[in-house]
């Protein structure tokens, strides 16, 4: 079994990685974290990956995300993928979702753990990956909606 966690460094994705780490440990599953980096400096600024005036550098973003994943789940396998944001018919979020779905297929994920505060809402914001990922039938999706709290506990 493989547990996949989309990770963007946000508090919710960090909480998702913590919970996925606990779950993977309890189930003896492989843990994989993926960061999708749209080739878009504004997207990177919105997520706090770079500051205004700082150059867009995918290698630096990758290294920063890798450090953050290692701090939470050093046993996790980490991947990052840069995606082209110039596709005229897709938003950055669409490209991120597409890339995560492909990664889920590539690693044969059984479970995806997504940190999102709005997946499953009546209206799904365009910036959320939770809603689109939860519609795929190839894997289970666990939603982490609160950044506080730890992983799964054993008795």
């Amino acid at each position: 079994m493989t547990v996949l966690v989309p990770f963007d460094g946000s508090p919710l994705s960090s909480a998702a990685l913590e919970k996925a780490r606990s779950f993977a440990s309890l189930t003896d599953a492989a843990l994989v974290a993926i960061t999708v980096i749209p080739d878009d400096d504004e997207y990177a600024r919105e997520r706090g990956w770079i500051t205004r005036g700082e150059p867009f550098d995918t290698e630096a973003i990758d290294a920063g995300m890798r450090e953050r994943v290692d701090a939470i789940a050093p046993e996790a396998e980490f991947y990052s993928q840069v995606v082209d944001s110039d596709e005229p018919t897709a938003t950055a979020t669409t490209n991120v979702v597409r890339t995560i779905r492909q990664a889920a297929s590539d690693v044969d994920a059984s479970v995806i753990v997504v940190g999102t505060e709005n997946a499953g809402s009546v209206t799904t914001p365009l910036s959320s990956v939770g809603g689109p990922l939860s519609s795929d039938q190839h894997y289970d999706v666990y939603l982490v909606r609160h950044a506080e709290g730890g992983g799964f506990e054993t008795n």
Side-chain angles (χ1 to χ4, degrees):
M1 180 187 326
T2 300
V3 178
L4 178 68
V5 182
F7 185 81
D8 65 4
S10 68
L12 280 171
S13 73
S14 296
L17 184 56
E18 287 177 28
K19 290 187 185 298
R21 179 183 191 210
S22 293
F23 180 80
S25 176
L26 289 171
T27 60
D28 201 30
L31 179 60
V32 177
I34 182 169
T35 296
V36 181
I37 306 169
D39 187 15
D40 178 347
D41 59 344
E42 192 56 38
Y43 185 95
R45 275 190 206 89
E46 288 172 3
R47 277 147 190 82
W49 297 348
I50 60 174
T51 59
R52 187 141 321 269
E54 185 178 1
F56 180 75
D57 180 349
T58 57
E59 290 179 17
I61 293 169
D62 171 88
M65 292 295 108
R66 186 176 303 271
E67 281 181 25
R68 293 169 89 172
V69 166
D70 283 347
I72 297 168
E75 72 281 9
E77 192 170 345
F78 176 78
Y79 293 99
S80 70
Q81 178 75 41
V82 178
V83 294
D84 185 11
S85 61
D86 291 334
E87 188 177 331
T89 59
T91 65
T93 300
T94 302
N95 288 331
V96 168
V97 169
R98 184 180 306 142
T99 304
I100 294 168
R101 282 182 169 159
Q102 183 60 53
S105 176
D106 292 347
V107 302
D108 196 24
S110 307
V111 175
I112 295 181
V113 180
V114 181
T116 181
E117 59 192 11
N118 51 34
S121 299
V122 174
T123 58
T124 303
L126 294 176
S127 64
S128 173
V129 299
L133 286 176
S134 64
S135 66
D136 198 315
Q137 301 297 313
H138 293 98
Y139 41 75
D140 290 335
V141 178
Y142 299 161
L143 302 177
V144 176
R145 296 177 187 208
H146 304 283
E148 61 280 344
F152 297 93
E153 299 292 326
T154 59
N155 292 332

